Amino acid sequence: MILELKNIDKSFGEKKVLQGVSFSVEGGKAFGLLGRNGAGKTTTIRILMDVFPPNAGEVLLDGKPIDYDKIGFGYLPEERGLYPKKVVFDQLVYFAALKGMRHKAAAKAVDAWLERLDMKEYRNKRLDTLSKGNQQKIQLITALAHDPKIVILDEPFSGLDPVNAQLLKDVVKEQIAKGKIVLFSSHQMSYIEEFCDSIAIINAGKIALSGDLRAIKRTYVRDRLVVNTENPAPIRTDFGASCTVRENGSLLIQMKSPEEKTAVMKQLIEKYDVDEIKVFEPSLNDIFVEYAGRQV
């Protein structure tokens, strides 16, 4: 499956919220939709899910206008929307039924997901008796119980401790392995970088950058080396001002040109006690700050 947004425009009154937004998402891969607050991410997601129509442009699946009656969406919103006073199992079955499942199939799917997420003990409890992290897991079940082909996760790791975050990671990887389209929207760049093959950064309603994340990183000049060593002093002395210390204690060596890479690496290996040498690549956080902070 290939999901495409093509030249999407959206205005509310006189305010232009989206202008020519285009990107594509491939099944079996994860896609990161990034942007600062107010950049247009939520509006894009709502148009994608047919909550409201665009003023111009179209949403396509495999080159054809998407049929929302046939394609199931699973959506985990940033703002949670379950019923705090209702029993967990009852409302999970209710939401699955709203998405087209028969009651018996919905109950079976909900029980399977409660077990998968280590939540069986909360099956017959009210939602408001659960911790924030466990409520997040219940919300995730509403997005996945009906086995949607397109999964949209908005800040999915919010409120999760490291153990539950790892559990969610495993679940997301399973969804991707099934060939589903998985779209992330998050400000937690480490998770986006871990999961996503491709990204789009929205700035002021326009796409500031999009494409394969690895390819984007390789567009940056590869003229710096990262060196990890237990004995940085001699390297810092010999390389002088071209060598700086990073926040994590590794060394960053600025070369005169990328063509020096092999020679400098050889020099470092032969002359010093080094544990690791690699070409410096910007993190997704670096890229986001650069493109999301620009005036569009």
Side-chain angles (χ1 to χ4, degrees):
M1 293 187 297
I2 297 179
L3 177 69
E4 295 178 88
L5 273 71
K6 298 188 70 174
N7 301 316
I8 299 293
D9 289 348
K10 184 63 180 178
S11 298
F12 295 103
E14 297 296 319
K15 185 177 181 180
K16 293 182 178 180
V17 179
L18 300 177
Q19 301 178 63
V21 168
S22 299
F23 59 80
S24 63
V25 189
E26 185 177 345
K29 295 183 178 180
F31 181 90
L33 181 62
L34 311 176
R36 298 168 65 182
N37 293 330
K41 301 189 304 298
T42 299
T43 300
T44 300
I45 289 172
R46 287 175 177 170
I47 288 173
L48 172 58
M49 295 180 61
D50 199 35
V51 175
F52 45 62
N55 297 115
E58 54 187 345
V59 180
L60 306 176
L61 187 65
D62 293 333
K64 300 177 181 179
I66 190 168
D67 186 342
Y68 288 98
D69 293 328
K70 295 181 178 179
I71 299 298
F73 277 79
Y75 178 45
L76 176 68
E78 180 178 6
E79 298 297 330
R80 311 313 176 207
L82 299 182
Y83 299 108
K85 303 297 182 183
K86 297 295 184 180
V87 172
V88 164
F89 177 80
D90 292 345
Q91 62 178 309
L92 286 175
V93 171
Y94 169 73
F95 280 111
L98 284 180
K99 294 168 183 174
M101 298 188 78
R102 294 186 178 275
H103 185 276
K104 186 175 181 180
K108 183 178 179 180
V110 166
D111 275 330
W113 274 107
L114 287 170
E115 183 170 4
R116 175 68 182 86
L117 296 179
D118 298 328
M119 296 293 290
K120 285 186 69 175
E121 64 183 288
Y122 304 107
R123 182 183 190 272
N124 297 313
K125 294 184 180 296
R126 287 190 346 189
L127 185 70
D128 60 3
T129 65
L130 276 60
S131 68
K132 182 179 178 181
N134 282 335
Q135 289 187 35
Q136 172 77 335
K137 291 161 73 175
I138 296 300
Q139 183 88 50
L140 177 65
I141 294 175
T142 68
L144 299 178
H146 59 295
D147 195 25
K149 292 185 178 181
I150 301 172
V151 179
I152 301 174
L153 305 172
D154 195 350
E155 298 293 353
F157 295 96
S158 175
L160 296 182
D161 61 49
V163 173
N164 281 324
Q166 183 59 54
L167 182 59
L168 178 55
K169 288 180 184 181
D170 294 340
V171 168
V172 171
K173 289 175 182 176
E174 291 168 5
Q175 299 299 303
I176 295 170
K178 289 180 179 179
K180 297 184 179 183
I181 291 171
V182 178
L183 188 150
F184 280 92
S185 178
S186 179
H187 290 116
Q188 295 174 284
M189 297 298 155
S190 60
Y191 291 122
I192 298 292
E193 196 154 15
E194 178 176 354
F195 283 107
C196 295
D197 301 281
S198 300
I199 63 166
I201 296 176
I202 297 182
N203 186 356
K206 299 179 182 179
I207 298 295
L209 177 71
S210 66
D212 179 85
L213 182 54
R214 184 175 294 275
I216 289 171
K217 287 187 174 186
R218 293 190 69 87
T219 63
Y220 286 75
V221 179
R222 300 169 65 81
D223 61 353
R224 287 175 286 179
L225 296 176
V226 176
V227 180
N228 284 297
T229 175
E230 293 296 321
N231 186 21
I235 300 176
R236 293 187 64 189
T237 298
D238 292 350
F239 280 82
S242 64
C243 178
T244 55
V245 182
R246 305 174 74 206
E247 288 185 4
N248 62 4
S250 63
L251 302 179
L252 185 66
I253 296 177
Q254 176 70 57
M255 299 178 290
K256 294 179 180 178
S257 70
E259 288 71 26
E260 288 189 337
K261 179 181 68 175
T262 301
V264 175
M265 282 184 165
K266 182 179 179 182
Q267 176 188 354
L268 288 164
I269 292 170
E270 292 179 349
K271 189 174 180 181
Y272 308 99
D273 179 17
V274 298
D275 299 318
E276 181 187 30
I277 306 172
K278 61 183 179 181
V279 175
F280 171 81
E281 287 186 340
S283 67
L284 179 55
N285 190 72
D286 297 328
I287 296 169
F288 178 81
V289 170
E290 178 182 351
Y291 282 89
R294 290 180 176 178
Q295 295 295 321
V296 175

